Structure formats: C-alpha cells, structure tokens
Amino acid sequence: MSFLNVIRRRLMFLILVLFGVTVITFTISNLIPGDPARMIAGDRATPEIVQNIREDLGLDKPLPVQYLRYLEGVVQGDFGNSIRTRRPVLEDLRIFFPATLELALTALFFATALGIPLGVASAVWKDKPIDHFVRVIAVTGISTPAFWLGLLVILLFYGNLGWLPSGGRIDPSLEMPTRVTGFLMIDSLLAGDFQAFGSALKHILLPAFTLGFVHLGVVARQVRAAMLEELQQDYIRTAKANGLSRFKVVFTEALPNAMIPSITVLGLALGDLLYGAVLTETVFAWPGMGAYVVNSIQALDFPAVMGFTVVVSLAYVLINLAVDLIYMAVDPRIREVS
Amino acid sequence: MADPVLKIDGLEVLFPGFAGDVHAVNGVDLDVQPGEIVGLVGESGSAKSVTAMTALGLLPTGAFRQSAGTISILGRDVATMSEREMNKLRGGDVAMIFQEPQTALNPTKTIGKQMLRVIELHSDLRGMAARDRAIELLKDMRINDAEEILGRYPFELSGGMRQRILIGMAFACSPKLLVADEPTTALDVTVQRQVLQLLHAKARQTGASVLFISHDLAVISQFCDRIYVMYAGRVVESGPAQKVLGNPQHPYTAALIEALPEDADPGAPLASIPGTVPNLVNPPKGCAFQARCRHAHAACDSRPVLTDVGSKHQAACWLREEISA
C-alpha cells in the first residue's frame, strides 16, 4: 500500500474519531451539574434573564438538536463562542495552541536529545554504572509528579540561584515579536530579535524540562530495550564479522533499527505532552492551552473545553498518522506488507 | 610448510553463570593450514561454534572468559592485536558465514548497501568499481540478476539466495581464512547441496582455507580434507577425513557414524547415542564420554589425552592405548 492510501484511510478514520470525541465530550459536558446560563448571568440575575441567555445560547433546545448545531459549526470551522472570553473558541485556540505546542515540542526535543543517547549507553554498557544510573533516572522520571518537580526547579533555579524566570513565555518588558508561527522562539528569530529569543529560550527551559523529564525516562527505557534486542540479532554479528567498528555497529546498524519501535513511543509521548502540559502550564503560568482549558472548566465554558478536546484529538490522530508514515519510510518490510 | 592460517593452542573458554561457570571449551588444540578445508564436527553443545567465535573475537564481550590458551591467525597472536587491527582482519583476511541466513543480514538495508560496506571497508574500490565487484561476486554465486538483487531487501529473497549472498560477501576481499558455521543447516537439502558446491568451488578457486563447522557427518565427509571431532569442549579425534570416518578410533566418532540414517534398514529404528552431553558446570573428571560409552571401563575415570593412532590420525581414548600397548 502506498503512502497516499495510508493517508486516505487515516483521514477517513479521523472523521470517525472526531465524531466519537464530540459525542462523548458533548454528553459529558451536559451531564455535569451546573448551568452555564446561570454562570454567565451571575448570582443575582432574575430567572427571566437566565432564561433569555439560555435561549440566546440555544441551551433550551433538546440535546440532540444542540449537538447537531454544534457539529454543523465544527465542520465549518466554527467551534462556537467561548462563554468566558466571549471570543470565538477557534480564535482563542489559535492564540493558546501554538504556545502549548512550542512547549510540548521543546519538551519532546529535550526528552529525545537526552533519552536516546542515555538509552543507547545503557544498552551498550548493560549492567555497568551508566546503565544503573539511567535506570534510576528513568524510574525517577516516570514516578515524579510534574507539578512537584516544577515547584522544585522553580525553587532552585529561580528562588535560590536566580538564573531563570519562574513563569511566563517572555520578559514582559520586551516587545513581542510579530506573530508568524505562534512559536515565540521562531518568531523572534524571524524578526531578528535575539534579545527576545534569549528571553523566550530562558522562559521555556524550566517548563520544558519539567514536562519532558517524565518522557525522558520513557524514551530512555524504550531505546534501551530496543537496543538490547537489536544488539543480539544475528545481523549485528555479521556486521562485526565484516569488520565494522564497535561504534559503527552501534550507530549505523543497531540504532536505526532500534528506533523503529521507539517511534511509536515518541508519537505517544508527543500526544501525552500536549495534554500533560495542562499541569505544567499551571505551575509555570505558561499562557497555553492547558491554562486556558483549566480556566474554562472552572467557568463551565463548554464550547472552549470541547474545542480543546477536539483539537487535542485531532493532534493525536495526526501524530499517529505521522508515526505510520515514518514507519513506512524507515522500514522496507512494513512498506511491503501494507 | 607455511604458517598455519589459524592455530589454536590449549584454548579454554568459560561462561560465568548463576549455577557456576560453564566450562564450554576445555583445552582445544586446532590448526588450519593454507588452502586446507578443515571440518569441526560434534553434536550441539560440543562447543564447535564457541571455539570458532572465540578465535575471531565474535563472542559478546562480558558474556565469556578465555581462561587459557593462545590463538593465532596468519601467524599473529590475537591477544596482542588491538580492536582496530581485529576489525581490519575481520571481513578482510578472515571472513565468516553463519548458520541463519534468514537473520544474518540487516533487515532494513538493501543487499547492495550491505555488500558495498564490506568492499569499501577492506579494499580501495569505491562507487561504481565497488558496485561492479559486488555484481561480480553475486554472479560467481550463480545469481544471475545480480544488478537487480543489489536493490532488494533481505526479506524479499529466499534463504538459499541469502546464504549465497553471504558467501559472496565473505569472499568479497579474498579472505585467507573462511570460518563457516553450519552454513547449510537452515537450508533444505537440495539448496544445501548447491550452496555447498558453490562454497567448495570458490574456496578451491581462491585458495582460501576453510574451517567448516557442522554436525552433519555426511556434509563433512564430502567437503573436508581433515576433520576434528569435538565432544564436551574437547577434541576427541582428529585426522584426515577418510581415515577418521572410514576407521574411527574413538567410540564417540564411531557412534556418530552409526547414527547416520543412510545405513539404517528401512523400518528399523534409527541408531542413536543414549544419554546427553554432560553438564559443563561440573565437567566429569575422567573421559567426558564415559557415561554414554559402551566400552567404558575403570581406566576411563582418568582423562585420556590425544595420542597418535595412525599417520596424522589422533584419538583420545584409553581403548586404543590398551590395544596398542
């Protein structure tokens, strides 16, 4: 099967997923006790005012009708208006999603840039001190709550050492670069504003480390396991018998093949990072989707919450599609079978 | 006589384990002369492969310990060679082919990529010249559509094809010694024969010495000039192939020959050697074959050494000593 076929099949699948996601979130939103109309109207509003708001928002219609109306909007790219911010949800997401994606990708970069070498070292020097060290790091990473780790690094790097800022995306005294990608680090470079870039980089270090630390362990463990598996394959022995150096055997023979199963883990990690950012963003006052959705939940802002859910699900499916395509690109056996 | 291409003296190898060290190789002496095809035969667990893999430094580091003995390849003591020198030797002057052609090639790289890698590593050929050499090697192995095969992945090819490719790769840089570890065991019989003939012809044509490891006496007898019979990490009999197989002097060799299905009467149960290979965590003090030997007697409690039982023919058994005494 060709790349195009995979893409086509996955996109059809995507429609089903989005349908399921909207049904579930819509149902749950309406099962939660609480009345958005009353929240908007405030404590002292008369029942008539509340009723008017309810009718304005279409909340007086039967649920299926409300759902179909919502779906009608979604397929046209209209996620409704946020009850809390009074802006279209899509516009809000356009502001907050890039911030979260920038944080998640930086965290993923951190997790892979450290996790892959640590995993490789751990497998090559199995049962040696470096292996024990990596295993400790991995278990620590997986079992450390992000909010606690976040507070700890703020205490150390902001409180005690004063090296890094405690929150936000950029120094408030600096002018924000022109928005192109929504990624501050890229936008500031595009604008040639190195001061803003430096500030953005400093601001992202602690939250990206905190968010990425959990996945650093996951990645290191996965790469270690996959490398151990590959290193005992017969083709490794052939490579050695062919006179390839130890370095080449590890990096040109074993590692590329070990990365094939690891790609799945990286794809899942990126998905996790997107919604895992919710807690981290709260700790670091990072103005991303996580903070946005937490505030929206508290305000019973259902259109916003549903918009968030749909976008994250969409991202999940697209990431998985990317994983499948990468699989096909790197493994000729999968190209053949599918 | 020229230096032997491979000479192993008093080799002992053990694998540390939870239950105690496994004494896999217990004092093996072995040599391969230039141009000679030498067979190493014995049942599973007799340490044939371990002996060869140790010689080429291919056992996973840390998993084993060479506790005694010296190995020299082309007149050089392997112990004095650096990792870099060994890498230069492997794939160049010394090549190896393995038992499982299914898994011996990297599944995600094309045949061409894997062949060029060896050629470019050990010769001055680059680019198209290296590619031409690869095609020539494949053609020598009777692979007709060689150009096309270079672009294929291992999983697209049959086992016999893969093993021929591996043999071609092994001969890429005109090795002086080829270690073939059960190269045909995983293939079916018709393919086996074809692959063996190719290997044999190529070895004779290039003058390469071959250390041929097999548990298949029939294959060994057709293929080898001289053979070593191994049991429980020791050589129990050695000599020219016809002599050892025609007139075995060790009860183990004799039992192996009797167990060949070719001579069995149709319908009659096949002959076998009762019992199993001894536990090598605590190797028996005397002759290792004693427990399974029909000639075992009191003398077998102490270990027999290899002694001449004919011209260039040696066996390690008390029986022969008594007869000759």
Side-chain angles (χ1 to χ4, degrees), chain B residues 201-234:
Chain B
K202 190 78 184 166
R204 289 295 190 224
Q205 177 204 329
T206 58
S209 306
V210 180
L211 180 62
F212 189 87
I213 301 167
S214 180
H215 61 255
D216 188 338
L217 277 178
V219 166
I220 289 266
S221 66
Q222 290 167 17
F223 194 68
C224 301
D225 305 322
R226 202 154 58 82
I227 66 177
Y228 288 89
V229 180
M230 279 188 76
Y231 186 75
R234 272 176 225 283

PDB file of all heavy atoms in Angstrom, chain B residues 201-234:
ATOM      1  N   ALA B 201      33.765 -24.782  -4.420  1.00  0.00           N
ATOM      2  CA  ALA B 201      34.433 -24.346  -5.651  1.00  0.00           C
ATOM      3  C   ALA B 201      35.145 -23.012  -5.429  1.00  0.00           C
ATOM      4  O   ALA B 201      36.295 -22.821  -5.843  1.00  0.00           O
ATOM      5  CB  ALA B 201      33.414 -24.217  -6.775  1.00  0.00           C
ATOM      6  N   LYS B 202      34.471 -22.105  -4.744  1.00  0.00           N
ATOM      7  CA  LYS B 202      35.021 -20.771  -4.525  1.00  0.00           C
ATOM      8  C   LYS B 202      36.276 -20.857  -3.644  1.00  0.00           C
ATOM      9  O   LYS B 202      37.262 -20.156  -3.890  1.00  0.00           O
ATOM     10  CB  LYS B 202      33.950 -19.886  -3.877  1.00  0.00           C
ATOM     11  CG  LYS B 202      34.302 -18.425  -3.818  1.00  0.00           C
ATOM     12  CD  LYS B 202      34.107 -17.722  -5.135  1.00  0.00           C
ATOM     13  CE  LYS B 202      34.576 -16.279  -5.019  1.00  0.00           C
ATOM     14  NZ  LYS B 202      34.725 -15.641  -6.318  1.00  0.00           N
ATOM     15  N   ALA B 203      36.208 -21.710  -2.633  1.00  0.00           N
ATOM     16  CA  ALA B 203      37.353 -21.855  -1.736  1.00  0.00           C
ATOM     17  C   ALA B 203      38.551 -22.413  -2.498  1.00  0.00           C
ATOM     18  O   ALA B 203      39.669 -21.906  -2.389  1.00  0.00           O
ATOM     19  CB  ALA B 203      36.993 -22.755  -0.565  1.00  0.00           C
ATOM     20  N   ARG B 204      38.319 -23.454  -3.281  1.00  0.00           N
ATOM     21  CA  ARG B 204      39.417 -24.057  -4.038  1.00  0.00           C
ATOM     22  C   ARG B 204      39.980 -23.072  -5.049  1.00  0.00           C
ATOM     23  O   ARG B 204      41.187 -22.967  -5.241  1.00  0.00           O
ATOM     24  CB  ARG B 204      38.918 -25.311  -4.769  1.00  0.00           C
ATOM     25  CG  ARG B 204      38.619 -26.491  -3.862  1.00  0.00           C
ATOM     26  CD  ARG B 204      39.880 -27.007  -3.172  1.00  0.00           C
ATOM     27  NE  ARG B 204      39.623 -28.269  -2.488  1.00  0.00           N
ATOM     28  CZ  ARG B 204      40.053 -28.567  -1.265  1.00  0.00           C
ATOM     29  NH1 ARG B 204      40.736 -27.672  -0.571  1.00  0.00           N
ATOM     30  NH2 ARG B 204      39.801 -29.732  -0.735  1.00  0.00           N
ATOM     31  N   GLN B 205      39.074 -22.324  -5.679  1.00  0.00           N
ATOM     32  CA  GLN B 205      39.478 -21.387  -6.731  1.00  0.00           C
ATOM     33  C   GLN B 205      40.335 -20.253  -6.159  1.00  0.00           C
ATOM     34  O   GLN B 205      41.316 -19.837  -6.761  1.00  0.00           O
ATOM     35  CB  GLN B 205      38.209 -20.847  -7.381  1.00  0.00           C
ATOM     36  CG  GLN B 205      38.414 -19.802  -8.466  1.00  0.00           C
ATOM     37  CD  GLN B 205      37.151 -18.947  -8.612  1.00  0.00           C
ATOM     38  OE1 GLN B 205      36.041 -19.422  -8.393  1.00  0.00           O
ATOM     39  NE2 GLN B 205      37.332 -17.688  -8.952  1.00  0.00           N
ATOM     40  N   THR B 206      39.955 -19.759  -4.959  1.00  0.00           N
ATOM     41  CA  THR B 206      40.702 -18.635  -4.396  1.00  0.00           C
ATOM     42  C   THR B 206      41.829 -19.093  -3.474  1.00  0.00           C
ATOM     43  O   THR B 206      42.621 -18.280  -3.022  1.00  0.00           O
ATOM     44  CB  THR B 206      39.786 -17.716  -3.568  1.00  0.00           C
ATOM     45  OG1 THR B 206      39.197 -18.501  -2.528  1.00  0.00           O
ATOM     46  CG2 THR B 206      38.687 -17.113  -4.422  1.00  0.00           C
ATOM     47  N   GLY B 207      41.873 -20.384  -3.183  1.00  0.00           N
ATOM     48  CA  GLY B 207      42.910 -20.898  -2.307  1.00  0.00           C
ATOM     49  C   GLY B 207      42.675 -20.574  -0.846  1.00  0.00           C
ATOM     50  O   GLY B 207      43.578 -20.672  -0.022  1.00  0.00           O
ATOM     51  N   ALA B 208      41.459 -20.164  -0.513  1.00  0.00           N
ATOM     52  CA  ALA B 208      41.162 -19.836   0.879  1.00  0.00           C
ATOM     53  C   ALA B 208      41.086 -21.113   1.726  1.00  0.00           C
ATOM     54  O   ALA B 208      40.610 -22.143   1.257  1.00  0.00           O
ATOM     55  CB  ALA B 208      39.837 -19.085   0.962  1.00  0.00           C
ATOM     56  N   SER B 209      41.554 -21.017   2.951  1.00  0.00           N
ATOM     57  CA  SER B 209      41.365 -22.117   3.892  1.00  0.00           C
ATOM     58  C   SER B 209      39.975 -21.982   4.474  1.00  0.00           C
ATOM     59  O   SER B 209      39.461 -20.883   4.619  1.00  0.00           O
ATOM     60  CB  SER B 209      42.358 -22.029   5.047  1.00  0.00           C
ATOM     61  OG  SER B 209      43.657 -21.947   4.545  1.00  0.00           O
ATOM     62  N   VAL B 210      39.380 -23.120   4.818  1.00  0.00           N
ATOM     63  CA  VAL B 210      38.042 -23.068   5.400  1.00  0.00           C
ATOM     64  C   VAL B 210      38.013 -23.870   6.690  1.00  0.00           C
ATOM     65  O   VAL B 210      38.530 -24.988   6.738  1.00  0.00           O
ATOM     66  CB  VAL B 210      36.981 -23.634   4.423  1.00  0.00           C
ATOM     67  CG1 VAL B 210      35.591 -23.564   5.050  1.00  0.00           C
ATOM     68  CG2 VAL B 210      36.994 -22.902   3.096  1.00  0.00           C
ATOM     69  N   LEU B 211      37.456 -23.271   7.721  1.00  0.00           N
ATOM     70  CA  LEU B 211      37.135 -24.038   8.916  1.00  0.00           C
ATOM     71  C   LEU B 211      35.634 -24.242   8.873  1.00  0.00           C
ATOM     72  O   LEU B 211      34.858 -23.299   9.005  1.00  0.00           O
ATOM     73  CB  LEU B 211      37.550 -23.287  10.184  1.00  0.00           C
ATOM     74  CG  LEU B 211      37.246 -24.025  11.500  1.00  0.00           C
ATOM     75  CD1 LEU B 211      37.997 -25.347  11.578  1.00  0.00           C
ATOM     76  CD2 LEU B 211      37.605 -23.162  12.701  1.00  0.00           C
ATOM     77  N   PHE B 212      35.230 -25.489   8.632  1.00  0.00           N
ATOM     78  CA  PHE B 212      33.843 -25.779   8.355  1.00  0.00           C
ATOM     79  C   PHE B 212      33.212 -26.466   9.560  1.00  0.00           C
ATOM     80  O   PHE B 212      33.589 -27.589   9.913  1.00  0.00           O
ATOM     81  CB  PHE B 212      33.768 -26.678   7.117  1.00  0.00           C
ATOM     82  CG  PHE B 212      32.388 -26.876   6.592  1.00  0.00           C
ATOM     83  CD1 PHE B 212      31.845 -25.981   5.687  1.00  0.00           C
ATOM     84  CD2 PHE B 212      31.620 -27.956   7.003  1.00  0.00           C
ATOM     85  CE1 PHE B 212      30.556 -26.168   5.198  1.00  0.00           C
ATOM     86  CE2 PHE B 212      30.338 -28.144   6.520  1.00  0.00           C
ATOM     87  CZ  PHE B 212      29.807 -27.239   5.625  1.00  0.00           C
ATOM     88  N   ILE B 213      32.275 -25.771  10.198  1.00  0.00           N
ATOM     89  CA  ILE B 213      31.660 -26.316  11.400  1.00  0.00           C
ATOM     90  C   ILE B 213      30.339 -26.962  11.040  1.00  0.00           C
ATOM     91  O   ILE B 213      29.507 -26.341  10.368  1.00  0.00           O
ATOM     92  CB  ILE B 213      31.436 -25.202  12.426  1.00  0.00           C
ATOM     93  CG1 ILE B 213      32.772 -24.547  12.772  1.00  0.00           C
ATOM     94  CG2 ILE B 213      30.738 -25.730  13.672  1.00  0.00           C
ATOM     95  CD1 ILE B 213      32.643 -23.261  13.523  1.00  0.00           C
ATOM     96  N   SER B 214      30.147 -28.202  11.463  1.00  0.00           N
ATOM     97  CA  SER B 214      28.883 -28.853  11.133  1.00  0.00           C
ATOM     98  C   SER B 214      28.634 -30.004  12.082  1.00  0.00           C
ATOM     99  O   SER B 214      29.553 -30.560  12.666  1.00  0.00           O
ATOM    100  CB  SER B 214      28.917 -29.374   9.698  1.00  0.00           C
ATOM    101  OG  SER B 214      27.704 -29.994   9.392  1.00  0.00           O
ATOM    102  N   HIS B 215      27.367 -30.348  12.259  1.00  0.00           N
ATOM    103  CA  HIS B 215      27.082 -31.581  12.983  1.00  0.00           C
ATOM    104  C   HIS B 215      26.711 -32.684  11.996  1.00  0.00           C
ATOM    105  O   HIS B 215      26.388 -33.795  12.383  1.00  0.00           O
ATOM    106  CB  HIS B 215      25.966 -31.358  14.013  1.00  0.00           C
ATOM    107  CG  HIS B 215      24.682 -30.943  13.398  1.00  0.00           C
ATOM    108  ND1 HIS B 215      24.219 -29.665  13.449  1.00  0.00           N
ATOM    109  CD2 HIS B 215      23.788 -31.644  12.670  1.00  0.00           C
ATOM    110  CE1 HIS B 215      23.080 -29.590  12.788  1.00  0.00           C
ATOM    111  NE2 HIS B 215      22.806 -30.771  12.301  1.00  0.00           N
ATOM    112  N   ASP B 216      26.810 -32.350  10.704  1.00  0.00           N
ATOM    113  CA  ASP B 216      26.378 -33.278   9.674  1.00  0.00           C
ATOM    114  C   ASP B 216      27.586 -34.006   9.076  1.00  0.00           C
ATOM    115  O   ASP B 216      28.339 -33.457   8.279  1.00  0.00           O
ATOM    116  CB  ASP B 216      25.645 -32.479   8.594  1.00  0.00           C
ATOM    117  CG  ASP B 216      24.977 -33.381   7.572  1.00  0.00           C
ATOM    118  OD1 ASP B 216      25.408 -34.544   7.447  1.00  0.00           O
ATOM    119  OD2 ASP B 216      24.041 -32.915   6.908  1.00  0.00           O
ATOM    120  N   LEU B 217      27.762 -35.261   9.504  1.00  0.00           N
ATOM    121  CA  LEU B 217      28.934 -36.011   9.067  1.00  0.00           C
ATOM    122  C   LEU B 217      28.956 -36.205   7.559  1.00  0.00           C
ATOM    123  O   LEU B 217      30.022 -36.209   6.937  1.00  0.00           O
ATOM    124  CB  LEU B 217      28.951 -37.385   9.741  1.00  0.00           C
ATOM    125  CG  LEU B 217      29.526 -37.432  11.140  1.00  0.00           C
ATOM    126  CD1 LEU B 217      29.425 -38.844  11.685  1.00  0.00           C
ATOM    127  CD2 LEU B 217      30.978 -36.977  11.119  1.00  0.00           C
ATOM    128  N   ALA B 218      27.787 -36.374   6.954  1.00  0.00           N
ATOM    129  CA  ALA B 218      27.728 -36.620   5.518  1.00  0.00           C
ATOM    130  C   ALA B 218      28.306 -35.404   4.777  1.00  0.00           C
ATOM    131  O   ALA B 218      29.118 -35.551   3.860  1.00  0.00           O
ATOM    132  CB  ALA B 218      26.283 -36.859   5.097  1.00  0.00           C
ATOM    133  N   VAL B 219      27.891 -34.219   5.205  1.00  0.00           N
ATOM    134  CA  VAL B 219      28.377 -32.993   4.583  1.00  0.00           C
ATOM    135  C   VAL B 219      29.878 -32.867   4.787  1.00  0.00           C
ATOM    136  O   VAL B 219      30.649 -32.596   3.861  1.00  0.00           O
ATOM    137  CB  VAL B 219      27.630 -31.778   5.179  1.00  0.00           C
ATOM    138  CG1 VAL B 219      28.331 -30.483   4.829  1.00  0.00           C
ATOM    139  CG2 VAL B 219      26.188 -31.764   4.693  1.00  0.00           C
ATOM    140  N   ILE B 220      30.312 -33.119   6.037  1.00  0.00           N
ATOM    141  CA  ILE B 220      31.727 -33.019   6.376  1.00  0.00           C
ATOM    142  C   ILE B 220      32.566 -33.960   5.508  1.00  0.00           C
ATOM    143  O   ILE B 220      33.627 -33.594   5.011  1.00  0.00           O
ATOM    144  CB  ILE B 220      31.922 -33.374   7.877  1.00  0.00           C
ATOM    145  CG1 ILE B 220      31.365 -32.260   8.755  1.00  0.00           C
ATOM    146  CG2 ILE B 220      33.359 -33.667   8.183  1.00  0.00           C
ATOM    147  CD1 ILE B 220      32.329 -31.222   9.197  1.00  0.00           C
ATOM    148  N   SER B 221      32.069 -35.180   5.314  1.00  0.00           N
ATOM    149  CA  SER B 221      32.873 -36.172   4.605  1.00  0.00           C
ATOM    150  C   SER B 221      33.067 -35.780   3.138  1.00  0.00           C
ATOM    151  O   SER B 221      34.099 -36.055   2.547  1.00  0.00           O
ATOM    152  CB  SER B 221      32.227 -37.558   4.711  1.00  0.00           C
ATOM    153  OG  SER B 221      30.993 -37.547   4.016  1.00  0.00           O
ATOM    154  N   GLN B 222      32.068 -35.125   2.550  1.00  0.00           N
ATOM    155  CA  GLN B 222      32.201 -34.728   1.146  1.00  0.00           C
ATOM    156  C   GLN B 222      33.123 -33.539   0.982  1.00  0.00           C
ATOM    157  O   GLN B 222      33.690 -33.322  -0.070  1.00  0.00           O
ATOM    158  CB  GLN B 222      30.838 -34.275   0.590  1.00  0.00           C
ATOM    159  CG  GLN B 222      29.838 -35.366   0.413  1.00  0.00           C
ATOM    160  CD  GLN B 222      28.465 -34.757   0.174  1.00  0.00           C
ATOM    161  OE1 GLN B 222      28.327 -33.591  -0.163  1.00  0.00           O
ATOM    162  NE2 GLN B 222      27.440 -35.567   0.357  1.00  0.00           N
ATOM    163  N   PHE B 223      33.195 -32.742   2.007  1.00  0.00           N
ATOM    164  CA  PHE B 223      33.665 -31.391   1.848  1.00  0.00           C
ATOM    165  C   PHE B 223      35.084 -31.178   2.379  1.00  0.00           C
ATOM    166  O   PHE B 223      35.809 -30.334   1.875  1.00  0.00           O
ATOM    167  CB  PHE B 223      32.673 -30.503   2.602  1.00  0.00           C
ATOM    168  CG  PHE B 223      32.782 -29.055   2.304  1.00  0.00           C
ATOM    169  CD1 PHE B 223      32.438 -28.582   1.051  1.00  0.00           C
ATOM    170  CD2 PHE B 223      33.214 -28.157   3.264  1.00  0.00           C
ATOM    171  CE1 PHE B 223      32.517 -27.243   0.760  1.00  0.00           C
ATOM    172  CE2 PHE B 223      33.303 -26.823   2.979  1.00  0.00           C
ATOM    173  CZ  PHE B 223      32.948 -26.354   1.723  1.00  0.00           C
ATOM    174  N   CYS B 224      35.469 -31.975   3.401  1.00  0.00           N
ATOM    175  CA  CYS B 224      36.678 -31.595   4.150  1.00  0.00           C
ATOM    176  C   CYS B 224      37.875 -32.480   3.870  1.00  0.00           C
ATOM    177  O   CYS B 224      37.749 -33.674   3.598  1.00  0.00           O
ATOM    178  CB  CYS B 224      36.384 -31.607   5.645  1.00  0.00           C
ATOM    179  SG  CYS B 224      35.061 -30.488   6.076  1.00  0.00           S
ATOM    180  N   ASP B 225      39.070 -31.863   3.966  1.00  0.00           N
ATOM    181  CA  ASP B 225      40.310 -32.608   3.848  1.00  0.00           C
ATOM    182  C   ASP B 225      40.616 -33.317   5.159  1.00  0.00           C
ATOM    183  O   ASP B 225      41.073 -34.449   5.194  1.00  0.00           O
ATOM    184  CB  ASP B 225      41.476 -31.656   3.539  1.00  0.00           C
ATOM    185  CG  ASP B 225      41.191 -30.833   2.299  1.00  0.00           C
ATOM    186  OD1 ASP B 225      40.597 -31.384   1.351  1.00  0.00           O
ATOM    187  OD2 ASP B 225      41.551 -29.636   2.278  1.00  0.00           O
ATOM    188  N   ARG B 226      40.372 -32.591   6.227  1.00  0.00           N
ATOM    189  CA  ARG B 226      40.782 -33.085   7.539  1.00  0.00           C
ATOM    190  C   ARG B 226      39.674 -32.715   8.508  1.00  0.00           C
ATOM    191  O   ARG B 226      38.977 -31.714   8.291  1.00  0.00           O
ATOM    192  CB  ARG B 226      42.075 -32.359   7.942  1.00  0.00           C
ATOM    193  CG  ARG B 226      42.933 -33.050   8.961  1.00  0.00           C
ATOM    194  CD  ARG B 226      44.392 -32.601   8.789  1.00  0.00           C
ATOM    195  NE  ARG B 226      44.529 -31.149   8.919  1.00  0.00           N
ATOM    196  CZ  ARG B 226      44.612 -30.533  10.096  1.00  0.00           C
ATOM    197  NH1 ARG B 226      44.571 -31.204  11.224  1.00  0.00           N
ATOM    198  NH2 ARG B 226      44.744 -29.228  10.140  1.00  0.00           N
ATOM    199  N   ILE B 227      39.466 -33.514   9.549  1.00  0.00           N
ATOM    200  CA  ILE B 227      38.410 -33.161  10.483  1.00  0.00           C
ATOM    201  C   ILE B 227      38.846 -33.280  11.946  1.00  0.00           C
ATOM    202  O   ILE B 227      39.777 -34.018  12.289  1.00  0.00           O
ATOM    203  CB  ILE B 227      37.113 -33.983  10.263  1.00  0.00           C
ATOM    204  CG1 ILE B 227      37.333 -35.460  10.570  1.00  0.00           C
ATOM    205  CG2 ILE B 227      36.563 -33.823   8.872  1.00  0.00           C
ATOM    206  CD1 ILE B 227      36.045 -36.256  10.438  1.00  0.00           C
ATOM    207  N   TYR B 228      38.169 -32.500  12.757  1.00  0.00           N
ATOM    208  CA  TYR B 228      38.295 -32.601  14.211  1.00  0.00           C
ATOM    209  C   TYR B 228      36.927 -32.987  14.750  1.00  0.00           C
ATOM    210  O   TYR B 228      35.932 -32.380  14.377  1.00  0.00           O
ATOM    211  CB  TYR B 228      38.676 -31.247  14.817  1.00  0.00           C
ATOM    212  CG  TYR B 228      40.086 -30.820  14.547  1.00  0.00           C
ATOM    213  CD1 TYR B 228      40.397 -30.081  13.402  1.00  0.00           C
ATOM    214  CD2 TYR B 228      41.114 -31.131  15.441  1.00  0.00           C
ATOM    215  CE1 TYR B 228      41.704 -29.672  13.151  1.00  0.00           C
ATOM    216  CE2 TYR B 228      42.419 -30.722  15.191  1.00  0.00           C
ATOM    217  CZ  TYR B 228      42.701 -30.001  14.047  1.00  0.00           C
ATOM    218  OH  TYR B 228      43.993 -29.601  13.812  1.00  0.00           O
ATOM    219  N   VAL B 229      36.900 -34.022  15.596  1.00  0.00           N
ATOM    220  CA  VAL B 229      35.642 -34.386  16.239  1.00  0.00           C
ATOM    221  C   VAL B 229      35.682 -33.824  17.652  1.00  0.00           C
ATOM    222  O   VAL B 229      36.637 -34.067  18.396  1.00  0.00           O
ATOM    223  CB  VAL B 229      35.462 -35.916  16.280  1.00  0.00           C
ATOM    224  CG1 VAL B 229      34.141 -36.275  16.947  1.00  0.00           C
ATOM    225  CG2 VAL B 229      35.537 -36.494  14.881  1.00  0.00           C
ATOM    226  N   MET B 230      34.673 -33.036  18.000  1.00  0.00           N
ATOM    227  CA  MET B 230      34.662 -32.431  19.338  1.00  0.00           C
ATOM    228  C   MET B 230      33.566 -33.036  20.190  1.00  0.00           C
ATOM    229  O   MET B 230      32.480 -33.369  19.716  1.00  0.00           O
ATOM    230  CB  MET B 230      34.436 -30.922  19.231  1.00  0.00           C
ATOM    231  CG  MET B 230      35.705 -30.159  18.883  1.00  0.00           C
ATOM    232  SD  MET B 230      35.453 -28.381  18.997  1.00  0.00           S
ATOM    233  CE  MET B 230      35.473 -28.136  20.773  1.00  0.00           C
ATOM    234  N   TYR B 231      33.885 -33.176  21.477  1.00  0.00           N
ATOM    235  CA  TYR B 231      32.869 -33.618  22.424  1.00  0.00           C
ATOM    236  C   TYR B 231      33.081 -32.885  23.746  1.00  0.00           C
ATOM    237  O   TYR B 231      34.205 -32.885  24.281  1.00  0.00           O
ATOM    238  CB  TYR B 231      32.936 -35.135  22.633  1.00  0.00           C
ATOM    239  CG  TYR B 231      31.800 -35.636  23.496  1.00  0.00           C
ATOM    240  CD1 TYR B 231      30.519 -35.738  22.963  1.00  0.00           C
ATOM    241  CD2 TYR B 231      31.984 -35.934  24.846  1.00  0.00           C
ATOM    242  CE1 TYR B 231      29.456 -36.145  23.735  1.00  0.00           C
ATOM    243  CE2 TYR B 231      30.930 -36.339  25.636  1.00  0.00           C
ATOM    244  CZ  TYR B 231      29.660 -36.441  25.084  1.00  0.00           C
ATOM    245  OH  TYR B 231      28.603 -36.833  25.854  1.00  0.00           O
ATOM    246  N   ALA B 232      32.047 -32.263  24.253  1.00  0.00           N
ATOM    247  CA  ALA B 232      32.087 -31.574  25.549  1.00  0.00           C
ATOM    248  C   ALA B 232      33.288 -30.638  25.680  1.00  0.00           C
ATOM    249  O   ALA B 232      33.981 -30.619  26.690  1.00  0.00           O
ATOM    250  CB  ALA B 232      32.072 -32.583  26.702  1.00  0.00           C
ATOM    251  N   GLY B 233      33.526 -29.875  24.638  1.00  0.00           N
ATOM    252  CA  GLY B 233      34.561 -28.853  24.728  1.00  0.00           C
ATOM    253  C   GLY B 233      35.975 -29.356  24.529  1.00  0.00           C
ATOM    254  O   GLY B 233      36.928 -28.665  24.866  1.00  0.00           O
ATOM    255  N   ARG B 234      36.108 -30.576  24.029  1.00  0.00           N
ATOM    256  CA  ARG B 234      37.437 -31.122  23.756  1.00  0.00           C
ATOM    257  C   ARG B 234      37.467 -31.777  22.391  1.00  0.00           C
ATOM    258  O   ARG B 234      36.447 -32.280  21.923  1.00  0.00           O
ATOM    259  CB  ARG B 234      37.749 -32.241  24.757  1.00  0.00           C
ATOM    260  CG  ARG B 234      38.365 -31.808  26.020  1.00  0.00           C
ATOM    261  CD  ARG B 234      38.498 -33.032  26.918  1.00  0.00           C
ATOM    262  NE  ARG B 234      38.058 -32.680  28.244  1.00  0.00           N
ATOM    263  CZ  ARG B 234      38.811 -31.969  29.084  1.00  0.00           C
ATOM    264  NH1 ARG B 234      40.004 -31.604  28.730  1.00  0.00           N
ATOM    265  NH2 ARG B 234      38.351 -31.642  30.263  1.00  0.00           N
TER     266      ARG B 234
END
